[in-house]
């Protein structure tokens, strides 16, 4: 049976992680399976949008939940009566991923608590959850979206170009792409022919239309594109800078030394980001997370429309099994009047299950109490006594099969039970259970 469909392993893993997160004060939160489509569109990237299951009901656009975070943030805002929430969740999420429509989602959100304590707690809890499962070959990779946004803003690019660079930052670490590929994509998207369009600029101003737009609108769009061409030097400098930034990768001590060389010494805000980042690493050590388990990757790519600060990924060997980060702006987007400090993470259930130790897939045996129809009362009493000692028992009639291949059998019509050739009376239940466990 494929591991991802092994019910016993799933239940055992979910129970283990839930108990682990309870030790940090995280309450299990039940969230709706069906919710407003708009709620999920707020934070969904193109990949999630294209794979969501949506439908209409009573003139409302609804969706099967593709994740938990947006619903949790919305729930927090609607409560309006708590300052800090520590919530954990688990259950089915729905995405069209190569015909695997249902996925297991497990994770947690810490909403309302600012500062490095919250980030360190979420990162440590998620990593040590792997330890609780018996998984030891894990690694944490940590980046900072807020920091790269801050540094990129210094190149005075228009918001659309800046957004494009951020959304394609993974290209800098892709050997098949790189900065040349990225620049080519930008040229294709923003190129403009002066010979074709400049004669129209500064024309009569009449409200003539072309393709549904007025001449003035067309001219304004051309001017903006021409400004982008004029800003090409800034763009080239930004691409070169990000390329250097994304080459930084390694242990905390080494990586922080390298990235500080890339930060302008007069940029006190960027430096403060690094200072707090280092504080998180120090706090992780108090959670017994060794530095050898941590990789600093300033160019770590996550959702640039969603996360606002530290982000992290969890890997077991080379398999990406989870991740998360800070997302302070989401609460405002789902109805709060202000940003609310928030940080969370999620495990990718099916991938996580594939990394579990073999012990999770060893289903405990179920003992069988066998008897004739007239002995069912005695069978039931024996079965309940054994269950009260924590062992699983099923009752079967003698017509089920050969008594020799079953674990237990009621014999005759009294309260004597035979186990492996030895007879036990009902008051000998504890010696019997001890023998079974041996």
């Amino acid at each position: 049976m494929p591991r991802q469909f092994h019910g016993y392993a799933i239940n055992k893993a979910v129970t283990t992680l839930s108990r682990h997160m309870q030790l940090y004060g995280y309450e299990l939160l039940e969230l709706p399976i069906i919710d407003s489509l708009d709620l999920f569109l707020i934070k969904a990237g193109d990949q999630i949008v294209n794979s969501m299951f949506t439908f209409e009901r009573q003139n409302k656009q609804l969706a099967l939940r593709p994740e938990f975070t947006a619903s949790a943030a919305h729930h927090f805002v609607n409560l309006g009566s708590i300052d800090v929430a520590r919530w954990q969740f688990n259950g089915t999420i729905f995405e069209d991923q190569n015909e695997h429509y249902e996925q297991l989602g497990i994770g947690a959100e810490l909403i309302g608590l600012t500062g490095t304590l919250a980030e360190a707690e979420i990162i440590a809890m998620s990593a040590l959850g792997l330890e609780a499962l018996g998984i030891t070959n894990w690694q944490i990779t940590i980046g900072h979206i807020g920091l790269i946004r801050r540094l990129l803003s210094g190149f005075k690019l228009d918001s659309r170009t800046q957004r494009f660079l951020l959304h394609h930052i993974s290209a800098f670490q892709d050997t098949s792409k790189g900065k040349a590929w990225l620049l080519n994509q930008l040229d294709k998207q923003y190129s403009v022919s002066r010979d074709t369009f400049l004669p129209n600029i500064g024309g009569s101003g009449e409200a003539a239309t072309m393709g549904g737009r007025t001449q003035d609108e067309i001219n304004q769009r051309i001017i903006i594109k021409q400004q982008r061409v004029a800003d090409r030097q800034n763009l080239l400098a930004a691409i070169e800078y990000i390329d250097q930034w994304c080459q930084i990768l390694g242990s905390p001590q080494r990586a922080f030394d390298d990235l500080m060389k890339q930060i302008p010494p007069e940029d006190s805000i960027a430096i403060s980001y690094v200072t707090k980042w280092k504080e998180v690493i120090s706090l992780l050590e108090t959670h017994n997370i060794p530095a050898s388990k941590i990789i600093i990757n300033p160019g770590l790519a996550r959702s640039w429309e969603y996360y606002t600060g530290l982000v992290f990924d969890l890997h077991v060997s080379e398999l990406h099994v989870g991740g998360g980060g800070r997302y302070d702006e989401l609460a405002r987007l789902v109805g709060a009047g202000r940003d609310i400090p928030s940080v969370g993470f999620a495990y990718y259930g099916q991938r996580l299950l594939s990394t579990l130790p073999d012990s999770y897939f060893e289903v405990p045996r179920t003992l069988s109490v066998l008897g004739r129809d007239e002995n069912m009362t005695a069978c039931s009493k024996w079965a309940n006594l054994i269950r009260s000692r924590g062992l699983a028992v099923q009752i079967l009639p003698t017509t089920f099969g050969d008594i020799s291949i079953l674990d237990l059998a009621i014999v005759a019509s009294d309260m004597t039970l035979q186990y492996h050739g030895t007879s036990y009376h009902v008051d000998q239940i504890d010696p019997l259970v001890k023998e079974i466990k041996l």
Side-chain angles (χ1 to χ4, degrees), residues 189-205:
Q189 183 162 348
Y190 297 138
S191 62
V192 62
S193 169
R194 296 179 64 90
D195 294 337
T196 300
F197 294 111
L198 279 179
N200 293 318
I201 298 177
S204 64

Side-chain angles (χ1 to χ4, degrees), residues 416-437:
T416 300
L417 181 142
Q418 184 178 1
Y419 176 71
H420 288 184
T422 301
S423 295
Y424 295 86
H425 192 265
V426 68
D427 59 4
Q428 297 176 298
I429 179 64
D430 289 325
L432 170 64
V433 170
K434 182 177 179 181
E435 179 65 25
I436 292 172
K437 290 183 176 180

Side-chain angles (χ1 to χ4, degrees), residues 116-422:
T116 55
L117 172 65
E119 293 160 334
E121 179 175 296
I122 282 289
I123 295 173
M125 185 173 70
S126 64
L128 295 177
L130 300 177
E131 290 279 348
L133 293 172
I135 301 168
T136 58
N137 56 331
W138 51 268
Q139 198 89 36
I140 310 169
T141 304
I142 307 178
H144 201 305
I145 285 179
L147 179 56
I148 185 60
R149 276 180 170 166
R150 169 70 185 178
L151 295 171
L152 192 56
S153 67
F155 290 91
K156 309 301 181 184
L157 302 174
D158 64 90
S159 59
R160 188 180 179 190
T161 302
Q162 182 172 321
R163 223 169 25 246
F164 184 92
L165 290 175
L166 290 173
H167 278 293
H168 291 82
I169 199 167
S170 59
F172 290 95
Q173 298 173 325
D174 186 339
T175 55
S176 66
K177 295 179 179 178
K179 56 185 179 181
W181 175 89
L182 189 61
L183 185 59
N184 184 53
Q185 297 301 308
L186 281 164
D187 285 342
K188 287 180 180 179
Q189 183 162 348
Y190 297 138
S191 62
V192 62
S193 169
R194 296 179 64 90
D195 294 337
T196 300
F197 294 111
L198 279 179
N200 293 318
I201 298 177
S204 64
E206 297 177 357
T209 63
M210 182 182 299
R213 292 177 294 172
T214 67
Q215 186 64 60
D216 286 342
E217 290 172 335
I218 294 171
N219 290 342
Q220 183 62 32
R221 184 176 178 85
I222 294 168
I223 291 171
I224 293 174
K225 288 189 175 183
Q226 290 294 338
Q227 289 172 341
R228 291 196 181 107
V229 173
D231 289 339
R232 185 176 179 82
Q233 288 305 115
N234 282 345
L235 175 60
L236 291 172
I239 290 177
E240 186 65 33
Y241 184 86
I242 298 175
D243 184 58
Q244 293 297 316
W245 187 257
C246 290
Q247 303 312 310
I248 299 173
L249 183 70
S251 66
Q253 181 176 358
R254 173 185 168 187
F256 284 131
D257 287 343
D258 290 341
L259 67 85
M260 283 301 295
K261 297 174 184 177
Q262 300 291 325
I263 296 177
E266 68 275 8
D267 193 338
S268 59
I269 295 178
I271 292 173
S272 71
Y273 284 156
V274 177
T275 300
K276 291 180 180 179
W277 193 348
K278 290 180 178 179
E279 289 176 5
V280 171
I281 303 302
S282 296
L283 285 171
L284 288 177
E285 293 179 2
T286 68
H287 286 278
N288 296 319
I289 304 291
S292 60
K293 289 284 191 179
I294 301 171
I295 296 174
I296 300 299
N297 179 5
L300 181 64
R302 302 290 282 175
S303 172
W304 296 95
E305 299 292 347
Y306 170 48
Y307 290 102
T308 60
L310 278 186
V311 292
F312 68 97
D313 282 340
L314 295 171
H315 286 84
V316 175
S317 295
E318 298 300 319
L319 187 63
H320 187 194
V321 299
R326 178 167 289 285
Y327 55 95
D328 292 350
E329 298 172 358
L330 182 59
R332 176 171 47 82
L333 296 176
V334 297
R338 58 183 175 87
D339 291 347
I340 296 177
S342 307
V343 61
F345 83 96
Y347 296 117
Y348 308 141
Q350 265 62 19
R351 296 181 190 177
L352 182 62
L353 289 176
S354 71
T355 67
L356 290 174
D358 290 340
S359 59
Y360 275 80
F361 301 90
E362 298 171 358
V363 180
R365 66 172 178 166
T366 297
L367 303 171
S368 300
V369 174
L370 189 70
R372 302 184 184 90
D373 289 344
E374 61 270 23
N375 291 338
M376 285 300 107
T377 298
C379 286
S380 296
K381 290 181 179 179
W382 268 109
N384 287 330
L385 279 170
I386 297 172
R387 288 173 188 141
S388 70
R389 268 60 175 182
L391 297 176
V393 180
Q394 62 178 341
I395 300 174
L396 296 171
T398 53
T399 56
F400 180 82
D402 185 354
I403 189 173
S404 64
I405 65 172
L406 299 172
D407 299 301
L408 300 171
I410 292 287
V411 294
S413 59
D414 56 18
M415 289 299 290
T416 300
L417 181 142
Q418 184 178 1
Y419 176 71
H420 288 184
T422 301

